[in-house]
Structures are given as C-alpha cells and as structure tokens.
C-alpha cells in the first residue's frame, strides 16, 4: 500500500471518530475542482465541453477553504481541469495544509516545471501526476504526442526536490495485462510513492464513447494484472479490499458521499462523475437533500459500469472496519485472481435508455472571465 503510516493513522483516527459518534454518512476525501479549464483535451474527459464563460470561472481562495472547512474530510483531492492554471492555487494549497489536511494536487504535469517553485515539499502535499499507461497509450489517451515524456521528466524533477509524488492512472478499452504490468514496473523505477489505478468512467460528455471498459472486462483485466504482479512490489495507493473489488471478488454498493465534490457550480450531486444531476448550495444540503437511494450500479443506468475509486474506495474502507479479518487476509495474500467472481448486481431499474437529465443540469448564466 503506497500510503505513509502517518497519513494512515490520521485517516484511521478520523474513521474511528465517525463510528464513536454514530455518523452514518461522512466524507473521506473532498474532491475540490477550483476550475474546469484544461490545457489538454483528453478523449475520455467529461469536463471540457463547457462554454468559455464557464471554463473561465474560478473558485476563489475563500470559497475553496470554506469548502474544506464545511466538509472537514481528512484528505482533499484538487482536480479540474488543470489546477495549475489557477493563479491562486498556491495560496489555496497553503491554506489546506495549514488545516493539517492531506492534499493530493492532481495535474497532467505540463506546467509543473514552470510552477514548482510556488510550492514547498510537505508531508501533507502530494503531487498526483496523470499517466494513463506507457508512452503510446498515454499520449493516445490525452490526444497529444510527447505528453508522457514531459510528465515523466516532471515526476523525476519533483522527486529530486523532495516532493511526495504519486501516479494517477485510468485504464481504457484495449489495455492488455502485460502492458499495464510493464507500466507499473516503470512507476517503480521512477520511485513514486504509489499509483492510483481504476477503469475509466464512461462520462456522457466524453468526446469518445468507445474507449471505456465494461465491468466484466475490467474485472478480468485486473485479475490478470494482479496475477502478473505477484512478487513485483508495486505500490498501489488503495486499500486491499478496493483492489479485491476490482478483481471481482467483492460485491459493493457505491458510497458516493465518501468523495463529495465542490466545484464552480456548487456541491455536485451525487458525485464527481455524474455531471448532470444538479448542485447543492452547501455541504450540509448535499448530504441531507441528495436522493442517495437513486444512485449506484444497481440503481441507476448511468452508474452501471462504474468501478471508480471515488465511489468504491469508501465502500471498501467501511467494509474493512466492519470485517477487519477480511481486510487483513487480503492485505497479506493479495486479491484472488482465479475462481468464481462475486455476483454482479441485478439492475433495479428498467433497462434501456438512461433517465433524462434534469432541466437545470448545465447552468448558463453569464459569468465574467477571471484573469
């Protein structure tokens, strides 16, 4: 597991506190999107089709830190868009660190060499670099040649300067287990702290819809990858039970409130991935007013093939707290790679076309550009 002990203990203390006070729904990671603007146009991205008046909008320092305080999760993942395009991001990061929250700054790394001096190494700050596999695979994913090499150069520079660095990898259609294993070997040689890995979510607004892996195929792929990985020492930035879920050995329901999202529109319902479900004005309203029972891979066709860690890592953590012996077994022996898989959820909705999006899905109010 590619997570330092200090961070593990902080999260464990937080989880224990929720249990002691009987809190049923609590956040584990705040997904903070201070902007949607990006300097790439990736094939699987569902965030880049907004008009310029939206792409030019930014969360202020005050709004960002208010979201951190409202949510009070122990970890904040800053995503986008490309966060390094936000001129006030260094101040936002410093404010989160001052609150003793762990920050994962997600970036495609194209601007990292230029902006690295705006940040200082800290045990609370991790640079999470986007790499979707080896050179050819990643450059095809981001639809631009040369990005892989620039990102790897930035990874090596950041590590040399003393920063915590992880890799964020999304897998798409056409991956082979051997390719993925070779890539994970490469991350080991780079010396990163860990790798976050998951199958891509089929965003409705993604430019290309034929690149996403179906759930059964994802499970087969991860079984092959984990089988190849025995003894290779990969550091994966996930709980053991989430990896076991990826390999088809656990039947989990999604826990969307585990990773709530605050972006330029407000608090996104129900999660980071479903962009057309509306917004809440506050974190409390998000938690109390979102119809959570309508979401999950058995309850909503839009969620049917989702295995993303933002939905299921919290489910795995909750399971580990209820059944620590099961979590310990998987931690010792790794995910099962052979035999019968856990049953897939039976749909509780009518199969066919997804539900129509609500009429208020994409706010179109006029917004002044922010420099």
């Amino acid at each position: 597991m590619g997570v330092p002990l200090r961070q593990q203990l902080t999260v464990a203390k937080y989880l224990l506190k929720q249990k002691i006070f009987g809190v049923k729904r609590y956040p584990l990671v705040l997904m903070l999107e201070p902007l949607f603007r990006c300097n790439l146009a990736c094939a699987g991205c569902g965030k880049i089709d907004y008009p310029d008046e939206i792409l030019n909008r930014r969360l202020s320092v005050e709004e960002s830190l208010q979201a951190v305080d409202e949510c009070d999760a122990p970890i904040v993942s800053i995503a986008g868009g490309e966060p390094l395009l936000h001129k006030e991001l260094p101040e936002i990061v410093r404010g989160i660190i001052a609150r003793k929250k762990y920050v994962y700054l997600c970036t495609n790394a194209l601007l990292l060499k230029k902006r690295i001096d705006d940040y200082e190494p800290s045990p609370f700050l991790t640079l999470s670099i986007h790499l979707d596999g080896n050179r050819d695979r990643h450059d095809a994913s981001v639809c631009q040649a040369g990005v892989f090499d620039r990102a790897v150069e930035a990874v090596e520079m950041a590590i040399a300067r003393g920063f915590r660095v992880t890799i964020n990898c999304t897998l798409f259609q056409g991956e082979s287990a051997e390719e993925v294993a070779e890539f994970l070997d490469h991350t080991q040689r780079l010396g990163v702290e860990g790798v976050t890995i998951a199958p891509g979510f089929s965003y409705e607004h993604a430019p290309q819809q034929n690149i996403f892996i179906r759930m059964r195929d994802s499970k087969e792929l991860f079984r092959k990858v984990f089988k190849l990985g025995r003894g290779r020492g990969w550091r994966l930035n996930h709980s053991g039970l989430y990896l076991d879920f990826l390999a088809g050995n656990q039947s989990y329901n999604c826990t969307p409130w585990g990773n709530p999202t605050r972006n330029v529109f407000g608090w996104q319902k129900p999660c980071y991935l479903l962009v057309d479900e509306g917004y809440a004005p506050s974190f409390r309203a998000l938690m109390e007013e979102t119809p959570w029972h309508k979401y999950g891979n058995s309850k909503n066709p839009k969620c049917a093939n989702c295995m993303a860690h933002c939905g299921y890592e919290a489910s795995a953590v909750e399971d580990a707290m209820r059944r620590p012996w099961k979590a310990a077994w998987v931690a010792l022996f790794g995910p099962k790679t052979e035999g019968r898989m856990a049953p897939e959820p039976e749909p509780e909705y009518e199969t066919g076309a997804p539900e129509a999006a609500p009429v208020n899905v994409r706010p179109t109010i006029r917004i002044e550009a922010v420099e």
Side-chain angles (χ1 to χ4, degrees):
M1 187 175 181
V3 181
L5 180 60
R6 175 178 179 176
Q7 184 173 327
Q8 292 184 50
L9 292 174
T10 297
V11 173
K13 180 180 177 182
Y14 170 82
L15 293 171
L16 184 61
K17 178 181 176 182
Q18 308 311 308
K19 293 301 178 185
I20 290 175
F21 286 96
V23 181
K24 295 187 181 299
R25 293 194 181 113
Y26 53 86
L28 190 59
V29 179
L30 167 62
M31 308 290 288
L32 183 67
E33 293 181 302
L35 79 171
F36 290 146
R37 174 75 71 182
C38 191
N39 50 2
L40 288 174
C42 302
C45 182
K47 304 286 184 178
I48 60 175
D49 66 326
Y50 290 101
D52 280 343
E53 61 186 15
I54 300 299
L55 295 177
N56 288 335
R57 190 173 180 179
R58 307 286 188 268
L59 286 181
S60 68
V61 175
E62 292 74 19
E63 288 172 320
S64 299
L65 296 181
Q66 181 183 1
V68 173
D69 293 338
E70 273 189 80
C71 178
D72 203 30
I75 300 171
V76 180
S77 177
I78 303 178
E82 171 49 55
L84 293 182
L85 290 170
H86 196 306
K87 293 183 179 180
E88 294 181 304
L89 189 66
E91 188 176 350
I92 293 172
V93 170
R94 286 193 293 270
I96 299 173
I97 291 174
R99 288 160 168 75
K100 304 298 183 183
K101 307 291 186 183
Y102 287 91
V103 182
Y104 282 79
L105 174 51
C106 305
T107 173
N108 58 38
L110 294 182
L111 290 172
L112 191 56
K113 291 181 69 175
K114 181 179 179 181
R115 302 286 167 81
I116 192 73
D117 290 333
D118 294 338
Y119 305 90
E120 296 181 2
S122 166
F124 290 97
L125 174 61
T126 300
L127 301 176
S128 178
I129 311 299
H130 175 209
L131 281 178
D132 288 342
N134 59 28
R135 180 182 289 106
D136 291 342
R137 179 70 65 176
H138 180 68
D139 286 355
S141 172
V142 301
C143 305
Q144 184 173 318
V147 174
F148 178 89
D149 290 335
R150 292 172 66 183
V152 167
E153 185 179 351
V155 166
E156 294 172 336
M157 174 200 66
I159 292 174
R161 291 194 176 204
F163 285 90
R164 294 179 58 190
V165 179
T166 61
I167 300 296
N168 179 15
C169 177
T170 304
L171 301 183
F172 295 101
Q173 191 68 255
E175 306 272 5
S176 73
E178 290 75 18
E179 273 186 297
V180 178
E182 180 183 346
F183 170 71
L184 292 173
D185 285 342
H186 184 52
T187 65
Q188 287 287 100
R189 294 191 293 270
L190 285 174
V192 298
E193 182 177 286
V195 179
T196 301
I197 189 168
F201 176 78
S202 53
Y203 284 102
E204 290 182 284
H205 298 278
Q208 298 181 28
Q209 289 294 317
N210 62 345
I211 63 174
F212 300 106
I213 315 176
R214 308 297 291 180
M215 181 179 287
R216 179 73 186 197
D217 294 336
S218 293
K219 295 175 181 179
E220 295 284 1
L221 175 62
F222 276 102
R223 281 199 169 193
K224 293 175 183 177
V225 169
F226 295 150
K227 190 171 185 178
L228 289 172
R230 298 209 182 273
R232 292 165 88 157
W234 298 333
R235 292 186 292 274
L236 301 179
N237 200 6
H238 296 291
S239 67
L241 285 178
Y242 174 70
L243 298 177
D244 209 40
F245 165 73
L246 290 179
N249 302 317
Q250 303 295 332
S251 292
Y252 288 146
N253 288 314
C254 174
T255 305
W257 56 83
N259 285 48
T261 297
R262 173 66 162 98
N263 60 33
V264 297
F265 295 141
W267 291 90
Q268 184 172 323
K269 299 179 182 180
C271 72
Y272 172 72
L273 299 171
L274 292 183
V275 298
D276 287 345
E277 302 297 305
Y279 297 85
S282 67
F283 175 72
R284 181 173 181 176
L286 175 77
M287 298 298 280
E288 294 180 355
E289 299 172 11
T290 302
W292 301 110
H293 63 281
K294 292 185 178 181
Y295 301 103
N297 55 12
S298 67
K299 301 178 183 298
N300 193 308
K302 296 179 181 180
C303 308
N305 282 291
C306 181
M307 298 182 73
H309 51 85
C310 63
Y312 291 93
E313 185 69 78
S315 304
V317 169
E318 185 73 17
D319 190 20
M321 295 186 69
R322 290 196 305 266
R323 303 175 181 86
W325 59 89
K326 183 169 75 169
W329 179 272
V330 175
L332 284 172
F333 299 104
K336 187 180 67 172
T337 58
E338 296 179 350
R340 181 178 297 179
M341 291 185 181
E344 294 189 4
E346 292 290 333
E348 299 175 33
Y349 50 85
E350 291 185 9
T351 57
E355 296 176 3
V359 295
N360 64 340
V361 292
R362 289 286 174 104
T364 56
I365 56 174
R366 186 69 187 173
I367 299 169
E368 296 298 325
V370 178
E371 297 296 329

